[in-house]
Amino acid sequence: MITMRDRVRRPIQANLKRFIFVVVVFSLALCLLGQIALSFYCFYDSHRGVMGDEVSVFLDSSLTDAQRKKAQEQIRALAPITELREIKPTDVLEKDILKLVGDRKKIPTMLALQFPSDTRYIDIEGAVKSIEKVKGVEGVTANLDWIKKRHSLREAIALGMFAFGAPAVTLVCLLIFQNSLRLSAFFRSERELLLMLGASDWAVRGPQMIAAALSSVLGCIIGGVLLLVTTLASVPLLEEAFELTLMPHWSVFAAVYLSVSLATILLSVIVSYFIAGATTPRTF
């Protein structure tokens, strides 16, 4: 009696070169998916702890405590603020104090206003213009040009990642589908005969599903090595160029690798199940 193991082993041995090609394609697909997942995580992680943009507000030194408190309340009402704190003169460099004081005898009250990290540039710009009109505000210092460039760069990077990620994921899905078609050719003749004889669904589809799982598991092992090598080779160069910490922690790398591997294996088995089920019985 021919066992399920023999039914899987014999077609693979007869088409060993094509099976190796399938494994290589699976490994490249996993490496690509892993790099995409790590890139998205690193981008998210690098911005998760980023503080919001900050501007400085200068209040008239002649304001009373009540007037100063009222001005601060108006400022809070005009802008999305995570923090509004007073800056002590001792925390400012002497040359900067001289610029602020000028010919005046008293140093103006200095406030640091911090926006939430997800505040849009247009909202920051509007808030700065509104705060400048508040009674008692002598001026607002905000490097809007630098803030705009930083926001534009962040949006461009995010858009580029999504623009690259969507086609890449689509390509990986097509590669898995093509691999399933190649595996299907190994077992087509046998499936047609079994269907003609009225074999069970598992007997017909099982060998290809097992072969798909085997090839994807081997591909994930090789792909994991490729993912590790490419990450160790490329990320330090990017860190040096952009002066950022982009290397994921080993636990993050392991979680991404295991998640992508599981997704690849499940997808390949599911696709093989439907492709094998599309076979028609042989007729004479």
Side-chain angles (χ1 to χ4, degrees), residues 59 61 65 89 99 106 117 129 139 153 156 161 165 175 227 246 248:
L59 300 181
S61 58
D65 291 340
K99 291 180 182 179
K106 291 185 178 181
S117 58
K129 292 179 180 179
L153 178 61
M161 290 178 62
L175 290 176
L227 180 61
L246 298 174

Side-chain angles (χ1 to χ4, degrees), residues 132-149:
E132 288 175 337
K133 299 177 183 178
V134 174
K135 184 178 180 181
V137 173
E138 290 189 342
V140 180
T141 300
N143 193 344
L144 293 177
D145 290 337
W146 180 85
I147 293 175
K148 185 177 182 179
K149 289 179 180 178

Side-chain angles (χ1 to χ4, degrees), residues 8 76 102 118 190 235 239:
V8 174
R76 288 184 180 275
D118 58 348
E190 182 183 88
V235 172
E239 289 182 331

